[in-house]
Amino acid sequence: MLSKRIIPCLDVRNGRVVKGVRFVDIRDAGDPVELASAYDREGADELVFLDITASHERRETVVDLARRCAEELFIPFTIGGGMRDESDFRKVLKAGADKIAINTAALDHPEVINRCARRFGSQCVVVAIDAKCVSGEGEEKRWEAFVHGGRTPTGRDAVEWAVEAARRGAGEILLTSMDADGVQTGYDIDLTRAITSSIPIPVIASGGAGNLDHLVEVVKEADADAVLAASIFHYGTYSIREAKEYMAAAGIPMRLT
Amino acid sequence: MITVIDYGMGNLRSVEKALEKVGAEVRVSRDPDDLRSASKLVLPGVGAFGDAMENLRKRGLVDVIQEEAAAGKPLLGICLGLDLVFEESEEHGLHEGLGLLPGRVELLTTELKIPHIGWNRIRIEKESPLLAGVPDGSFFYFVHSYVVVPRRDSDILCTTDYGCRFVSAVEHENVSAFQFHPEKSSALGLNILRNFATS
């Protein structure tokens, strides 16, 4: 039986991790590769790097990051941030990344999903969706997809967009609740369930993890295939191992090493 | 010197780096002479079976691999490399494989999602030096839609459950192959590569 996955996420700017990370056994807390290796040793199932370098050099920094990670990281890793087309995919995959996350480019030109899936395989095409609740009180819940790091509304219904992305060949959806992100009060269960129940591909739940019950909850109640978290691991609130043992004790299949 | 066979199918960098990590001397090459002079061969790969065989043929590597394997040189297949060591595959039409082991490649038959992607357990079916230090029931990272069906039960090294039981590793004399990716399976994956490099 497949295990559920825990995926720490690292935000990287100009080749450095943005948020401080509290590991005792590393020399350079800003080096994404060293941090990633520490997470690998702790039992992380995968890693996601989001490059937030705000310049036209971003593509080069992303390729360099993939190349350096491939030398030290022996679990699958995804890189996202400003990737636009097949040529970006080719470069970053060739540098050693396993998967690429795309968001704005996919909404601007949805056929890029088909092309990359056909060319490189669905398994490496992760469509990231940033969703925000837009329904009024008392209405049936609706969520809209946002782009440009959550700054720009698209008018697209998030569930419909997930269905289209899956149909076009996405291998996985990385679903971030903009309402829950950073608040640490739990994942958005309604949003996550609305998406997992609508598509046949795995969903990584993101945004809102504040404690270990939140991880259990989104897997058990919303059927998430993987949980992504940043702060609770970076700041050492919980170790990956603790989180996995807690989830396993709750009856969730986890890879314990 | 271990030669990782480069035949234009997928990213070889992870395999190369993982072997380097465990202290092996590695060369990625498509030159038949490099395959002949290597002490061991690794056949990795991601993609379609038919394209892979076509690429191997175009580069004149089919005969070399068959000869070297027949001469007893250790060969490790990974993912698509596992499929390729068998006689034939039904992936998008019928294709002839390298035929190092008897059996065929079929679409995974399961009620669960295909491709099978993620961490799953192996059940160890027989002893092998490659699995030294790898406990039965360990998790490894899989990405595939097809499975191998060996004709000899004695070639089955590991099986895995995914709504069905399929063969996740095989071994016969000097030819070993894994459906999962040791180079993406953290410490235990590196353990297998170290066993291969030092065996």
Side-chain angles (χ1 to χ4, degrees):
Chain A
M1 186 196 260
L2 272 184
S3 70
K4 300 288 182 177
R5 293 167 279 157
I6 290 190
I7 309 178
C9 178
L10 297 166
D11 287 349
V12 179
R13 185 190 290 141
N14 298 317
R16 304 283 296 168
V17 174
V18 176
K19 290 178 191 162
V21 182
R22 289 187 194 159
F23 275 112
V24 284
D25 58 342
I26 57 169
R27 283 165 294 141
D28 179 358
D31 178 21
V33 180
E34 196 172 352
L35 279 173
S37 299
Y39 277 131
D40 177 356
R41 286 194 297 276
E42 266 206 340
D45 296 304
E46 287 187 42
L47 282 159
V48 169
F49 297 92
L50 291 180
D51 193 298
I52 54 170
T53 306
S55 75
H56 58 277
E57 284 127 37
R58 171 153 70 179
R59 199 164 71 174
E60 280 61 46
T61 66
V62 167
V63 170
D64 183 58
L65 178 63
R67 191 173 292 126
R68 292 196 298 130
C69 286
E71 288 175 11
E72 288 300 327
L73 201 54
F74 301 102
I75 53 175
F77 65 94
T78 302
I79 295 195
M83 241 74 71
R84 302 223 43 98
D85 52 24
E86 284 163 275
S87 104
D88 291 344
F89 264 68
R90 186 179 315 106
K91 282 188 190 137
V92 179
L93 291 173
K94 191 157 180 278
D98 298 281
K99 311 178 187 184
I100 312 283
I102 43 171
N103 183 347
T104 307
L107 273 155
D108 285 352
H109 304 285
E111 64 284 357
V112 78
I113 301 172
N114 305 64
R115 285 205 302 270
C116 290
R118 204 160 41 229
R119 185 121 191 187
F120 309 108
S122 284
Q123 83 288 339
C124 68
V125 183
V126 179
V127 172
I129 301 179
D130 291 344
K132 189 177 164 63
C133 187
V134 290
S135 48
E137 208 150 314
E139 283 181 333
E140 194 183 334
K141 275 198 170 179
R142 279 181 299 111
W143 297 268
E144 183 174 341
F146 279 62
V147 292
H148 300 123
R151 294 188 303 276
T152 315
T154 62
R156 286 297 306 267
D157 180 84
V159 178
E160 278 175 30
W161 170 231
V163 170
E164 180 180 338
R167 189 165 40 74
R168 286 180 177 275
E172 215 158 44
I173 299 292
L174 167 50
L175 176 67
T176 302
S177 162
M178 293 170 57
D179 304 298
D181 201 23
V183 190
Q184 300 210 322
T185 52
Y187 293 93
D188 188 330
I189 300 295
D190 291 339
L191 167 66
T192 309
R193 195 190 298 113
I195 304 265
T196 56
S197 62
S198 305
I199 57 174
I201 59 173
V203 174
I204 304 164
S206 158
N211 63 44
L212 301 183
D213 285 320
H214 294 152
L215 308 182
V216 170
E217 196 177 80
V218 77
V219 170
K220 286 200 150 178
E221 292 176 27
D223 203 22
D225 296 274
V227 290
L228 183 134
S231 307
I232 62 165
F233 298 129
H234 295 344
Y235 298 128
T237 320
Y238 305 99
S239 70
I240 304 276
R241 193 172 304 282
E242 265 178 293
K244 291 183 109 173
E245 282 167 1
Y246 191 87
M247 292 172 80
I252 297 170
M254 301 301 295
R255 175 180 71 105
L256 299 170
T257 51
Chain B
M1 175 74 77
I2 296 176
T3 294
V4 176
I5 304 170
D6 174 14
Y7 58 109
M9 297 300 287
N11 162 37
L12 310 182
R13 198 174 147 75
S14 312
V15 177
E16 179 193 5
K17 293 295 159 194
L19 284 164
E20 283 175 4
K21 184 75 181 176
V22 299
E25 265 192 274
V26 193
R27 172 172 58 197
V28 177
S29 175
R30 63 178 67 173
D31 181 344
D33 287 337
D34 286 343
L35 272 64
R36 288 194 189 93
S37 66
S39 57
K40 290 166 187 168
L41 298 174
V42 176
L43 184 63
V46 174
F49 190 98
D51 295 347
M53 283 306 297
E54 183 57 33
N55 283 3
L56 286 172
R57 247 178 247 121
K58 269 197 304 216
R59 292 170 185 196
L61 296 175
V62 172
D63 294 349
V64 188
I65 295 171
Q66 287 170 338
E67 285 161 20
E68 294 302 316
K73 186 171 287 182
L75 181 139
L76 176 69
I78 299 173
C79 198
L80 179 58
L82 161 75
D83 297 355
L84 294 172
V85 302
F86 283 87
E87 292 164 321
E88 59 177 23
S89 168
E90 62 168 35
E91 183 180 347
H92 308 304
L94 200 61
H95 301 277
E96 196 183 334
L98 292 169
L100 308 183
L101 298 181
R104 59 199 311 271
V105 181
E106 295 177 355
L107 187 65
L108 181 57
T109 311
T110 175
E111 299 286 297
L112 305 176
K113 293 171 188 176
I114 293 180
H116 170 222
I117 301 184
W119 295 86
N120 206 336
R121 288 178 189 278
I122 58 163
R123 182 182 307 206
I124 298 176
E125 304 287 351
K126 65 173 182 180
E127 280 185 34
S128 161
L130 290 186
L131 297 179
V134 176
D136 192 27
S138 297
F139 280 93
F140 287 89
Y141 189 75
F142 289 83
V143 183
H144 66 115
S145 302
Y146 286 80
V147 290
V148 296
V149 184
R151 204 156 56 236
R152 290 188 301 243
D153 283 350
S154 59
D155 290 351
I156 298 173
L157 179 56
C158 302
T159 56
T160 292
D161 288 319
Y162 185 62
C164 63
R165 169 90 61 91
F166 71 88
V167 174
S168 49
V170 297
E171 185 170 74
H172 178 74
E173 296 173 351
N174 56 312
V175 176
S176 316
F178 298 95
Q179 183 67 74
F180 52 84
H181 290 266
E183 78 281 12
K184 287 288 165 188
S185 295
S186 198
L188 286 174
L190 293 179
N191 196 332
I192 289 179
L193 294 176
R194 189 178 298 109
N195 290 340
F196 175 71
T198 56
S199 64

